[in-house]
Amino acid sequence: MLDFWLFFRVLVFPGFTFILFLTLFCDWVERKIEARMQSRVGPAIAGPAGILQPLADFIKLLTKEEIIPRDAKKNVFRIAPLVAFSVMVFAICFLPIDGSSAISSSGFVGDLIVVMALVTVANFLLFMSGWASANPYGDIGAARVLTQFLGYDIPLFLLALTPAFLAGSLTISIIAANQYLPFIILAPWGFVLFIVALQAELEKDPFDIPHADSEVVGGLETEYCGGKLAFLHLTRDVQIVLGAALVVELFLGGPYGPVFFGLPAFWYSLWFVLKLLVVVMITEYVTCLFARMRIDQVLTANWRVLLPLSVLSLVLTVAMATYVYPMVV
Amino acid sequence: MSKLATWARLKSPWVLHFNSGACNGCDIEVVALLTPRYDVERFGIKLEPSPRHADVLLVTGSVTQQCAERLKRIYDQMPEPKFVVAIGACACSGGVFKGNYNVLNGVDQVIPVNAYIPGCPPKPEAIIDGVVKLLNSLKPEKPAKGEKKK
Amino acid sequence: MSKKEIDMLSVLQSKFEGTSVQVRPEQLGKAEVIADASTHRDVLKAMLEADEKTAVIAITGIDLGATIGVFYHIRTSETGIITIKVEVPKEEPQIKTITDLMPGATFDEMEVNDLLGVVFEGNPSLGRLVLPDNWPDGVYPLRKDAKLDNLQFKPTPPSEPEPAGNENIVKVIVGPQHPALLEPEKFVLKVEGEIVKDVEPRIGYVHRGIEKATESRTYLQDVYLVERICGICNACHASCFVETVEKILKTEVPPRAKYIRTVLLELNRLHSHLLTLGHAGLEIGFETLFQYFWRDREPIMDITEIISGNRVISSGMTVGGVRRDINEADIPKIKGRLTDLKKKLPFYKNVYEDEPSIKMRMKNVGTLKREDALKLCIVGPTARGSGVDIDVRKDEPYEAYGEIPFKLITYNEGDTWARMNVRMDEVEESINIIEYALDNLPAGPFRVRVPRVVIAGEAVSRVEAPRGELFYYLKSNGTAYPERVKVRTPTFANIPAFLATAIGSSIADVPPNFVSLDPCFSCTDR
């Protein structure tokens, strides 16, 4: 039996279409913040205040000629960007946006782990697209992507366990709903470290190496053009939305907030978007303020600094939750 | 649908800059376009690192022998639709180096040019003016793809 | 730094008394030494033994008819340039190399080989330097009898196959079109993992044949041509050229013109240093710093426009003075912009000295030791960052620099961080020099008329361009056209520094290292 309501939720709201437009909107927000911090104006003529700029970029790329290098591994080259994008969008569908997620109304046990695994798969597909492009810069860029996300996945996951522990569940919707006091207050160290690990996962300054223009030209995107390039860019942008959404769900209380009148779903979506924008702004400010680290410095920072700190953070949270908070909260 | 495509192309021209043997005067004015005083990101112009990502090729310099082949190759690597802008007196016609033994006199000896921006070097305002004129020429009233505009 | 007072001339005169080597003081600058192909190495050895700061500035090749002249221009720790002149027969132009004594002369010899056909025996890297790969054999552009119309270019040679050997070595080709480089040049980096094992440069992409072109234009036209060797340091090229002409003509340039020239030269230095400091930010991924520096560089371009009418290529110099006077009414505007820039300097200075991400990327990167800097004949802020205190403005003052007080900036660390800080401090010194010059601008004419036809003679001249010592040699033959103009630009001398410091470093260190040497390839290739 056809469930029109499910199709609507998955394809339009809060599913694919909503995520696509939210991604384009966040891209605009990021570019404006970066421009303002650099004392510039940023996109200004495509639509009012340049808000249609990311859409124009996307459409323009779709209308360009498709070129496939002779030595590239053609099937992987064609498909990897699209699949990476789909996997990322699929991962977002697990997150409650208007009170319940696109796919199910209450989630299932362990969907936090599923989301993290999907992110890893998507990053691996990005690596494959760089590897398949038969270009030395693509190879170097892809290798750097792999090194970086494999390394930072581990502390990211450990830090994601902190709110899981505080809420007593691995289900995202339960973690989001159980935040009478947002976990950013109960475990601020977790929040800060998670943002740092997220910068690395999202490959933004200071962990920007896979996209270092001056060293690897276009990185894994060097040989791509046209529609496939559009999807590679979108994958990166959707990843930013996914990362920010995870922070919102895990630390900022998810979409839940005061409901003033009318449909709760409307208010929940509004709070979700507002909190998302706050996180996007934080990550963008950090990007503007730092230079790029060298690859060996990135690896040192991960294995020698971030990993031990995330373990410590988990231990500290467990200790606080077992002994301190029951007395206070 | 093609109106949407034209709109998108007008609002998002991505640029690749290539120096084919210039004195750097024009190049620093091109890089100055990205800086706060001129800020061409307002027009959606982004400086791209790879020829495959770019729509508009900005060429400076009077094309030395050694660069001629590279210039042609970069032009071939760009996907359609693509445009070429020759910036500076040297790129237009050889400039002060016209007739030297290692110099081909101007970019149009190697690849087709869509817009010429004279000057030595042209002020960033002049470069913006030239690029905007090129973009306006793409609007449906005047089909000007490939037509030279001085 | 104490300058040992070695009287090089008396050392040479006493050593070569009675031999075929003649030492002629007061000719061509400080002195010329007439030697031949068998004795030039002995002269150089004698000079090296007497003074450790002996360095080759340039090697000029000149077609003298039946012979080809090979002139070695040498600088010592004393003021002035000593030129060793050697002539070799045109049919068999061979001469022994000096690269074992002075490794920094490698590129100079390659250039004379490329453009004039002189074979330097013992130089391991003779090959194409500035001419393209498909240049026909046997055509030497700088020879007077070279036929340059209807050149038959060879088909481009295919890129050489991978040598059988270590499969771990990946060839990363940087350029000719690369976002890190504003200009086209090709550097082939042989990389193993992330460590650079070897660097092969191929320059010549910007070679426009300017030295040959100067011979077919009048002196005044050449001022405009020579300015466009490099848009960034254009005033330095113009001023060095007109200085050599004025030396031959023995013209007395009026003091007001000297001060105005100093102002234009320092404006050049200011905008170039701010450009590099911002560009360095771009290379290490610090876009915000790049935008801020270039935003604050714009007032300098405005000042250049107020004085000369053009933002970049000021065209202010002419033989005998400057083309336009500075309007007294403009001086407050100029000083206002300089004061604003000065107020922002402490912020930038703080960034380059203390900002952790900059220190992370620039400290101990590309370290060049003092002895290597001396051996490789490095000039400019690159040398001053390694503790070598050379600066033409202090060593051989020209224009108004002898009368204006300023500090010579050196740092001893020798790494990228030190080189960038040298430039940062020089920005403040430049602003002070301009303010002093504007406050003390002498009254009087701003140019004198000079004859169009220049009497026969030769002269050398040096100027401290933003990147280092810029050197010109000019020979005139009594007509309205120069006989030979030789330009040796600072980046040409500094490329060996990049090659030496890049090998053994990580590939991610190559861009900041590269920018800290501040390369300008349009200067290098001419």
Side-chain angles (χ1 to χ4, degrees):
Chain A
M1 194 180 128
L2 286 173
D3 191 348
F4 289 113
W5 186 235
L6 179 66
F7 277 129
F8 178 78
R9 285 185 67 76
V10 169
L11 287 178
V12 180
F13 180 87
F16 180 72
T17 315
F18 174 70
I19 294 173
L20 187 63
F21 280 101
L22 186 63
T23 308
L24 294 176
F25 180 65
C26 284
D27 190 20
W28 174 80
V29 168
E30 283 195 323
R31 281 174 78 165
K32 274 303 215 189
I33 294 179
E34 185 168 359
R36 289 289 173 183
M37 287 216 54
Q38 294 173 354
S39 47
R40 296 185 292 122
V41 172
I45 62 165
I51 203 167
L52 295 177
Q53 185 67 49
L55 185 66
D57 289 340
F58 182 57
I59 297 179
K60 180 213 68 174
L61 281 174
L62 288 178
T63 63
K64 296 274 284 186
E65 183 190 356
E66 297 279 339
I67 298 181
I68 300 185
R70 190 181 50 210
D71 293 333
K73 298 172 183 38
K74 298 198 175 30
N75 290 325
V76 180
F77 192 80
R78 276 196 198 108
I79 297 182
L82 281 161
V83 181
F85 174 67
S86 332
V87 169
M88 286 283 189
V89 174
F90 185 50
I92 298 191
C93 288
F94 285 96
L95 304 174
I97 295 180
D98 65 345
S100 52
S101 69
I103 294 188
S104 73
S105 52
S106 58
F108 53 89
V109 175
D111 60 8
L112 177 60
I113 305 182
V114 173
V115 169
M116 306 292 292
L118 284 174
V119 171
T120 310
V121 168
N123 271 317
F124 189 71
L125 284 164
L126 284 178
F127 158 75
M128 303 245 328
S129 41
W131 166 81
S133 54
N135 179 315
Y137 293 120
D139 287 337
I140 300 182
R144 287 180 171 189
V145 166
L146 198 66
T147 320
Q148 195 164 309
F149 90 73
L150 277 184
Y152 281 88
D153 236 2
I154 302 175
L156 193 73
F157 190 66
L158 281 177
L159 290 164
L161 285 183
T162 311
F165 187 79
L166 284 173
S169 155
L170 280 173
T171 310
I172 300 180
S173 26
I174 297 185
I175 300 177
N178 277 1
Q179 298 190 30
Y180 298 107
L181 220 50
F183 290 153
I184 183 176
I185 301 183
L186 292 179
W189 48 85
F191 177 72
V192 170
L193 289 174
F194 194 86
I195 294 275
V196 173
L198 196 64
Q199 285 286 112
E201 275 285 308
L202 300 177
E203 288 154 23
K204 297 176 73 143
D205 266 333
F207 303 100
D208 180 355
I209 302 156
H211 304 280
D213 274 4
S214 56
E215 295 163 36
V216 285
V217 188
L220 58 86
E221 297 171 3
T222 313
E223 275 306 321
Y224 279 93
C225 55
K228 299 188 276 296
L229 183 64
F231 279 103
L232 277 179
H233 281 174
L234 264 187
T235 311
R236 261 183 75 194
D237 294 333
V238 170
Q239 192 176 15
I240 296 175
V241 173
L242 175 61
L246 261 181
V247 175
V248 169
E249 301 292 346
L250 296 176
F251 288 96
L252 293 178
Y256 301 108
V259 179
F260 295 116
F261 54 85
L263 270 179
F266 166 73
W267 285 100
Y268 290 152
S269 325
L270 186 66
W271 288 119
F272 178 78
V273 172
L274 285 175
K275 291 181 197 177
L276 189 84
L277 286 179
V278 168
V279 179
V280 166
M281 279 188 215
I282 295 176
T283 54
E284 190 59 30
Y285 274 133
V286 172
T287 306
C288 290
L289 290 175
F290 287 96
R292 188 182 297 137
M293 302 203 307
R294 271 208 315 257
I295 186 105
D296 58 310
Q297 291 164 341
V298 167
L299 293 174
T300 318
N302 179 32
W303 297 100
R304 292 203 196 161
V305 176
L306 200 57
L307 188 58
L309 280 180
S310 12
V311 172
L312 264 166
S313 144
L314 195 58
V315 167
L316 186 60
T317 314
V318 170
M320 297 289 275
T322 318
Y323 300 113
V324 177
Y325 292 147
M327 295 191 264
V328 173
V329 169
Chain B
M1 193 60 201
S2 74
K3 265 178 83 174
L4 187 62
T6 315
W7 170 85
R9 284 184 195 151
L10 282 178
K11 298 293 182 189
S12 159
W14 286 359
V15 156
L16 177 72
H17 162 243
F18 182 65
N19 172 334
S20 70
C23 75
N24 280 337
C26 296
D27 303 292
I28 59 179
E29 297 293 64
V30 167
V31 175
L33 288 179
L34 304 167
T35 56
R37 188 187 268 201
Y38 301 105
D39 194 18
V40 288
E41 201 187 352
R42 294 176 291 152
F43 304 108
I45 297 179
K46 264 176 33 167
L47 195 63
E48 287 293 312
S50 163
R52 300 242 188 251
H53 302 176
D55 308 305
V56 181
L57 181 63
L58 297 179
V59 189
T60 56
S62 52
V63 191
T64 57
Q65 279 291 338
Q66 190 84 325
C67 276
E69 208 192 291
R70 272 65 177 182
L71 181 59
K72 184 93 188 40
R73 203 189 290 182
I74 289 174
Y75 181 71
D76 290 335
Q77 281 177 340
M78 287 169 65
E80 294 285 348
K82 56 192 174 189
F83 308 98
V84 176
V85 178
I87 296 187
C90 293
C92 295
S93 66
V96 75
F97 305 116
K98 191 168 176 137
N100 286 4
Y101 58 80
N102 202 29
V103 155
L104 292 138
N105 300 315
V107 176
D108 52 11
Q109 306 288 320
V110 183
I111 53 179
V113 175
N114 297 89
Y116 295 85
I117 304 182
C120 190
K123 286 182 74 161
E125 289 94 327
I127 302 178
I128 297 181
D129 188 38
V131 173
V132 167
K133 274 197 178 130
L134 172 68
L135 293 177
N136 284 337
S137 73
L138 300 175
K139 285 191 180 144
E141 295 86 44
K142 285 199 280 179
K145 246 171 40 171
E147 184 185 321
K148 287 185 189 175
K149 275 179 68 84
K150 284 224 196 304
Chain C
M1 312 279 155
S2 60
K3 287 195 169 160
K4 288 185 280 187
E5 279 309 313
I6 309 159
D7 193 354
M8 187 61 75
L9 288 183
S10 44
V11 165
L12 290 174
Q13 273 163 333
S14 58
K15 179 139 190 190
F16 291 99
E17 181 119 17
T19 64
S20 60
V21 174
Q22 301 168 43
V23 178
R24 293 196 205 149
E26 300 301 317
Q27 298 283 332
L28 192 60
K30 180 158 172 155
E32 61 181 23
V33 177
I34 312 291
D36 56 48
S38 55
T39 49
H40 69 290
R41 283 173 59 93
D42 302 324
V43 178
L44 192 58
K45 262 193 237 171
M47 292 178 80
L48 269 170
E49 280 159 21
D51 186 353
E52 64 149 9
K53 274 171 99 175
T54 302
V56 165
I57 301 180
I59 303 180
T60 303
I62 176 169
D63 185 343
L64 293 168
T67 59
I68 294 186
V70 182
F71 298 169
Y72 298 81
H73 304 281
I74 315 283
R75 100 167 87 90
T76 61
S77 48
E78 294 178 296
T79 317
I81 301 174
I82 300 180
T83 306
I84 306 176
K85 286 186 168 177
V86 177
E87 291 186 28
V88 291
K90 207 184 226 180
E91 295 77 42
E92 246 199 272
Q94 279 174 336
I95 190 171
K96 287 209 211 66
T97 181
I98 60 166
T99 49
D100 50 336
L101 300 169
M102 298 243 87
T106 314
F107 271 28
D108 300 283
E109 291 190 348
M110 281 171 77
E111 190 190 334
V112 178
N113 170 258
D114 212 9
L115 292 173
L116 278 154
V118 176
V119 176
F120 289 87
E121 294 157 4
N123 185 329
S125 31
L126 285 184
R128 286 275 172 241
L129 187 72
V130 288
L131 290 175
D133 290 323
N134 56 356
W135 188 260
D137 295 322
V139 178
Y140 300 111
L142 279 180
R143 290 200 188 175
K144 295 291 178 188
D145 48 3
K147 299 207 175 12
L148 296 172
D149 307 320
N150 299 321
L151 287 167
Q152 298 296 328
F153 288 100
K154 303 190 294 201
T156 316
S159 45
E160 73 265 14
E162 293 289 329
N166 200 338
E167 263 94 43
N168 287 330
I169 297 206
V170 175
K171 260 195 191 175
V172 177
I173 301 183
V174 176
Q177 182 269 322
H178 187 95
L181 308 172
L182 269 182
E183 303 165 89
E185 295 296 356
K186 189 160 93 165
F187 288 92
V188 179
L189 303 171
K190 298 211 172 88
V191 178
E192 188 170 354
E194 289 264 337
I195 306 287
V196 176
K197 290 285 180 201
D198 198 12
V199 180
E200 277 166 23
R202 176 60 170 104
I203 61 175
Y205 285 78
V206 199
H207 178 67
R208 292 150 286 163
I210 293 185
E211 289 183 1
K212 182 78 182 173
T214 54
E215 296 167 15
S216 49
R217 288 161 169 74
T218 66
Y219 286 92
L220 202 54
Q221 287 172 327
D222 277 336
V223 176
Y224 292 99
L225 177 64
V226 147
E227 262 180 339
R228 285 158 177 84
I229 292 182
C230 175
I232 302 179
C233 49
N234 58 84
C236 303
H237 280 278
S239 83
C240 207
F241 178 76
V242 299
E243 273 178 25
T244 45
V245 182
E246 285 155 8
K247 278 187 186 166
I248 298 180
L249 288 172
K250 300 198 179 12
T251 317
E252 196 51 52
V253 176
R256 189 178 177 87
K258 284 192 181 167
Y259 271 74
I260 298 180
R261 279 187 187 174
T262 309
V263 170
L264 285 171
L265 287 169
E266 288 304 310
L267 281 172
N268 234 197
R269 190 182 321 278
L270 262 182
H271 104 83
S272 171
H273 280 338
L274 288 173
L275 191 153
T276 309
L277 291 165
H279 197 57
L282 203 58
E283 295 299 320
I284 58 174
F286 210 164
E287 260 205 46
T288 314
L289 190 66
F290 162 71
Q291 300 279 1
Y292 280 9
F293 262 112
W294 280 59
R295 177 197 63 189
D296 291 325
R297 176 181 164 266
E298 288 295 323
I300 308 292
M301 316 306 282
D302 287 341
I303 297 177
T304 314
E305 196 175 355
I306 291 174
I307 297 182
S308 70
N310 192 329
R311 278 163 55 97
V312 179
I313 299 191
S314 53
S315 289
M317 320 281 179
T318 186
V319 183
V322 288
R323 275 181 60 229
R324 290 162 125 198
D325 200 1
I326 294 187
N327 203 338
E328 299 289 332
D330 289 331
I331 293 186
K333 264 193 278 187
I334 298 174
K335 293 186 79 175
R337 284 182 167 77
L338 287 175
T339 317
D340 287 338
L341 180 60
K342 230 180 176 172
K343 283 196 214 135
K344 298 192 175 143
L345 282 184
F347 164 70
Y348 287 121
K349 184 109 185 71
N350 200 14
V351 166
Y352 260 100
E353 270 191 351
D354 291 328
E355 165 75 26
S357 34
I358 288 198
K359 276 174 133 171
M360 214 164 37
R361 288 304 298 272
M362 288 193 175
K363 271 258 177 214
N364 298 320
V365 166
T367 311
L368 183 69
K369 295 200 277 278
R370 188 169 185 273
E371 314 86 66
D372 292 331
L374 286 170
K375 236 185 351 175
L376 295 171
C377 313
I378 307 297
V379 295
T382 314
R384 294 199 280 278
S386 295
V388 179
D389 58 338
I390 51 168
D391 186 335
V392 185
R393 296 176 292 170
K394 290 282 190 198
D395 297 335
E396 200 174 344
Y398 54 97
E399 305 303 350
Y401 287 107
E403 297 159 33
I404 302 182
F406 67 97
K407 280 194 294 217
L408 179 68
I409 315 273
T410 55
Y411 275 72
N412 288 324
E413 290 86 349
D415 55 11
T416 303
W417 180 88
R419 297 195 271 272
M420 300 311 290
N421 270 289
V422 167
R423 293 190 179 94
M424 191 73 240
D425 292 342
E426 285 186 359
V427 167
E428 185 167 2
E429 290 300 315
S430 289
I431 298 183
N432 292 339
I433 295 176
I434 300 179
E435 288 180 338
Y436 185 99
L438 288 174
D439 285 336
N440 297 302
L441 206 55
F446 59 87
R447 66 181 292 184
V448 291
R449 289 284 172 199
V450 293
R452 195 170 157 267
V453 170
V454 172
I455 54 174
E458 27 175 31
V460 290
S461 187
R462 297 190 285 169
V463 152
E464 183 74 14
R467 285 158 185 76
E469 174 196 50
L470 176 64
F471 168 83
Y472 268 65
Y473 162 82
L474 177 71
K475 179 162 185 210
S476 58
N477 56 11
T479 65
Y481 300 88
E483 166 93 6
R484 171 86 169 97
V485 174
K486 159 79 181 166
V487 182
R488 198 283 273 139
T489 53
T491 308
F492 194 80
N494 282 348
I495 292 187
F498 170 62
L499 300 179
T501 53
I503 294 179
S505 71
S506 147
I507 192 176
D509 282 336
V510 168
N513 188 7
F514 196 58
V515 168
S516 78
L517 113 90
D518 201 1
C520 176
F521 289 107
S522 45
C523 277
T524 313
D525 288 344
R526 287 151 292 131

